[in-house]
Amino acid sequence: QVQLVESGGGLVQAGDSLRLSCAASGGTFSSYVMGWFRQALGKEREFVARMSRSAGSYADSVKGRFTISRDDTRRTVYLHMNSLKPEDTAVYYCAAGLDYSVIDRSYSYWGQGSQVTVSS
C-alpha cells in the first residue's frame, strides 16, 4: 500500500507561481510512475503531468508552464506551476501507478487533493 499526502495549494493571482508537493509512504517509491491530475468544479478529472524514473510528459494545456519532478530519496513528487491562469483553478491530485499512462484509472493510489485557485 502507498499513501500519498499533498501540500502546497492555495489562492494566487494570475501569472503567479505555486509548487505542489506529494509525499509518499509505503511501497517502493522509485518503482512507481507518478502522475498529477486535476478536477475543476463541474468537470471531469483530467491528466496534467506524469513522470517515470527517467521520463515525463504534460498535457498540452500546461506544457511550457508546469514542470513535474521527483526526488526518490525524499519519496516526493513535485508540480511546479508557473504563469498560472484562472483556468488552472481545480483540485489537484497526485497519483501513483505502475503504467506510464495519462489515464486516471491506470493509477492505483491517490492523494487527498489540494485546491489551487487562480484569481484574475
Side-chain angles (χ1 to χ4, degrees), residues 34-61:
M34 299 302 297
W36 286 97
F37 292 79
R38 67 186 181 187
Q39 187 167 20
L41 193 63
K43 296 187 177 181
E44 293 187 354
R45 188 163 55 190
E46 64 175 2
F47 166 76
V48 174
R50 60 180 173 172
M51 188 168 191
S52 66
R53 293 183 71 176
S54 59
S57 74
Y58 303 89
D60 288 344
S61 59

Side-chain angles (χ1 to χ4, degrees), residues 2-9 18-25 29-30 32-37 47-53 55-58 67-81 92-97 100 107 109-111 114:
V2 176
Q3 292 79 43
L4 302 174
V5 178
E6 303 169 25
S7 60
L18 204 59
R19 187 185 76 168
L20 300 179
S21 300
C22 174
S25 59
F29 180 79
S30 59
Y32 285 97
V33 174
M34 299 302 297
W36 286 97
F37 292 79
F47 166 76
V48 174
R50 60 180 173 172
M51 188 168 191
S52 66
R53 293 183 71 176
S57 74
Y58 303 89
T67 302
I68 186 172
S69 63
R70 63 189 294 164
D71 184 335
D72 288 355
T73 300
R74 296 180 183 271
R75 302 172 60 88
T76 300
V77 62
Y78 305 96
L79 185 68
H80 306 259
M81 304 181 289
Y92 283 71
Y93 298 90
C94 68
Y100 189 62
Y107 292 79
Y109 305 102
W110 290 83
S114 185

Side-chain angles (χ1 to χ4, degrees), residues 78-90:
Y78 305 96
L79 185 68
H80 306 259
M81 304 181 289
N82 296 321
S83 301
L84 282 161
K85 304 175 181 180
E87 51 263 43
D88 294 318
T89 295

